[in-house]
């Protein structure tokens, strides 16, 4: 059986880069060609300085591809830009531009907001893992980090470099773990604060939806900031979205704020497509005892009252936190948590949500 480009990429996914990710996830493969039993491709390093240290990786890539069935020869070249690429002259923010009616995003079939009434309920963790889980099931998925004051998706998705902009207006999004990704965090230093008033937030959101080349997507998930502020209002009023998914813990205090978020979406005529109970329970890693630290069943009861599906209940889990901090969402791996996110993704697909 002849080797395919997907076979080659799958083999290269075995090789991890020192600072995280792979040659595939970091978009460093160029000119991949297969002629009979010979495979050729180029590894493009981000800079000539980094390329000096990548020869062992080039040799490893050559070996792993040549070991594939049906491949007798692998030729891998290593290159880097001769002139360091300058950051695109792209300004994000500013007052929004006037528009006629709700904005649609070309090529995107469905836009779903992932919201919460309050911070600290794991909404961004759920968003990144849900995006990866949907991508693993064959959906073309985008993830927009709209939490402009506290963008966390660059860290959670394991990628943090400035997107390209060929003309200073159009933004080329980044890709990680099979997900097309955009965040204001790509435009800023990691510890740089965003000190903007409402109109700047609205302008930035408008740009990240309308000026980004999202391509053909089945679903674009929008990781909203907590609460019921300017970003939520702008998205729901100025963009044609399919609906919203609410993330909450079962704790009474969290549910109080979740109800406010639900009321906001209903006021804005945005359908609530379902709810996810996060931190639903904790299983002791030593004895296996299950505890409901934040209460039990609150989100399920709220979903039943609203007449919307409870899409899933996720435990509070150490490995999920460690995976997010390391830049590889737990849904990209194997294990019980990956299976839990896969079940939610499958339910969304079967229910026509994604």
């Amino acid at each position: 059986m002849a080797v395919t480009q997907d076979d080659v990429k799958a083999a290269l996914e075995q090789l991890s880069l020192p600072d995280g990710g792979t040659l595939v996830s970091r978009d460093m493969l160029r000119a991949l060609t297969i002629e009979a039993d010979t495979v050729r491709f180029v590894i493009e390093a981000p800079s000539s300085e980094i390329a000096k240290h990548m020869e062992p990786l080039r040799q490893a890539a050559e070996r792993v591809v040549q070991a594939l069935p049906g491949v007798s020869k692998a030729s891998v070249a290593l290159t880097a830009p001769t002139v360091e690429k300058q950051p695109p002259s792209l300004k994000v923010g500013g007052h929004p531009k006037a528009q006629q009616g709700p904005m649609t995003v070309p090529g995107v079939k469905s836009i779903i907001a992932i919201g919460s009434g309050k911070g600290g309920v794991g909404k961004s963790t759920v968003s990144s893992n849900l995006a990866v889980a949907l991508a693993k099931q064959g959906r073309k998925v985008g993830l927009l980090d709209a939490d402009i004051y506290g963008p966390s998706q660059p860290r959670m998705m394991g990628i943090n470099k400035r997107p390209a902009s060929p003309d200073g207006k159009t933004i080329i999004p980044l890709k990680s773990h099979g997900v097309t990704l955009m965040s204001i965090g790509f435009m800023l230093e990691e510890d740089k604060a965003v000190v903007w008033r409402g109109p700047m937030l609205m302008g930035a959101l408008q740009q990240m939806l309308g000026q980004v080349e999202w391509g053909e997507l089945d679903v674009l998930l929008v990781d909203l900031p907590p609460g019921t502020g300017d970003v939520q209002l702008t998205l729901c009023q100025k963009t044609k979205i399919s609906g919203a998914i609410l993330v909450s813990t079962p704790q009474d205090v969290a549910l109080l704020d979740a109800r406010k978020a639900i009321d906001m979406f209903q006021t804005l005529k945005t359908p609530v497509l379902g709810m996810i109970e996060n931190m639903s329970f904790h299983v002791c890693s030593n004895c296996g005892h299950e505890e409901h630290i934040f209460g039990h069943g609150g989100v399920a009861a709220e979903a039943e009252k609203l007449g919307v599906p409870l899409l899933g209940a996720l435990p509070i889990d150490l490995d999920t936190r460690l995976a997010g901090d390391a830049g590889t969402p737990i849904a990209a791996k194997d294990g019980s948590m990956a299976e839990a996110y896969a079940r939610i993704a499958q339910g969304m697909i079967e229910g026509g949500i994604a």
Side-chain angles (χ1 to χ4, degrees):
M1 184 175 176
V3 69
T4 66
Q5 291 197 0
D6 287 340
D7 295 332
V8 173
K9 290 178 180 178
L12 292 173
E13 286 279 17
Q14 303 171 32
L15 304 176
S16 297
L17 299 175
D19 56 346
T22 66
L23 293 170
V24 177
S25 68
R26 297 285 289 275
D27 191 28
M28 296 170 71
L29 291 186
R30 301 288 183 270
L32 173 57
T33 60
I34 301 173
E35 298 176 4
D37 57 356
T38 300
V39 177
R40 296 184 178 87
F41 60 90
V42 175
I43 299 172
E44 184 182 61
S47 68
S48 55
E49 188 61 32
I50 293 175
K52 294 176 184 178
H53 305 285
M54 290 186 64
E55 177 57 22
L57 182 64
R58 185 201 68 78
Q59 294 177 10
E62 207 166 69
R63 286 195 299 271
V64 76
V65 172
Q66 193 158 325
L68 287 171
V71 177
S72 62
K73 182 181 179 182
S75 176
V76 182
L78 179 61
T79 186
T82 53
V83 178
E84 298 296 330
K85 296 179 181 178
Q86 296 297 314
S89 56
L90 179 67
K91 182 179 179 181
V92 174
H95 287 242
K97 296 178 181 178
Q99 60 184 63
Q100 296 276 342
M103 177 193 303
T104 58
V105 181
V108 177
K109 296 178 183 176
S110 175
I111 300 176
I112 297 176
I114 311 291
S116 68
K118 67 189 274 65
V121 299
K123 169 187 52 58
S124 292
T125 297
V126 170
S127 297
S128 59
N129 280 287
L130 195 53
V132 171
L134 286 166
K136 284 179 70 175
Q137 298 199 30
R139 310 304 280 174
K140 295 177 181 176
V141 184
L143 177 59
L144 171 57
D145 186 357
D147 192 349
I148 292 174
Y149 286 135
S152 53
Q153 294 302 344
R155 170 64 66 88
M156 289 185 171
M157 295 294 284
I159 186 167
N160 195 359
K161 62 181 182 180
R162 195 175 177 90
S165 178
D167 57 4
K169 297 179 181 178
T170 303
I171 307 169
I172 309 301
L174 303 176
K175 293 183 182 292
S176 181
H177 305 294
V179 176
T180 303
L181 184 64
M182 184 60 201
S183 171
I184 194 72
F186 296 143
M187 306 296 188
L188 306 169
E189 296 177 17
E190 193 173 41
D191 56 355
K192 184 75 171 176
V194 175
V195 187
W196 289 349
R197 295 189 186 276
M200 294 282 283
L201 298 178
M202 293 184 284
L205 182 61
Q206 188 183 59
Q207 282 180 277
M208 291 194 294
L209 282 167
Q211 290 181 222
V212 171
E213 286 194 3
W214 288 106
E216 297 294 323
L217 296 179
D218 294 309
V219 60
L220 173 61
L221 301 182
V222 182
D223 178 18
L224 291 173
T228 56
D230 288 320
V231 171
Q232 288 87 341
L233 291 171
T234 299
L235 181 71
C236 295
Q237 291 180 327
K238 301 292 186 181
T239 309
K240 189 175 181 180
I241 69 172
S242 303
I245 292 173
L246 265 293
V247 179
S248 178
T249 66
Q251 184 181 10
D252 288 345
V253 172
L255 284 167
L256 283 173
D257 289 333
R259 292 184 190 110
K260 294 172 185 174
I262 290 166
D263 181 66
M264 175 199 69
F265 285 122
Q266 291 176 335
T267 301
L268 295 171
K269 304 294 189 289
T270 299
V272 177
L273 304 174
M275 299 185 72
I276 294 174
E277 184 171 272
N278 197 28
M279 307 182 198
S280 181
F281 57 92
H282 172 256
V283 178
C284 177
S285 57
N286 290 324
C287 68
H289 174 66
E290 182 177 304
E291 280 188 306
H292 295 91
I293 299 172
F294 296 110
H296 179 63
V299 178
E302 198 67 29
E304 184 178 3
K305 186 168 72 174
L306 279 172
V308 301
L310 177 69
L311 300 175
L314 299 163
I316 184 168
D317 176 68
L318 175 60
D319 288 338
T320 300
R321 193 272 295 173
L322 293 172
D325 285 348
T328 302
I330 198 76
K333 303 183 178 185
D334 297 319
S336 60
M337 285 303 299
E339 291 169 3
Y341 277 106
R343 286 193 294 271
I344 296 175
Q346 184 63 36
M348 289 176 63
I349 293 169
E350 292 176 352
I353 297 174

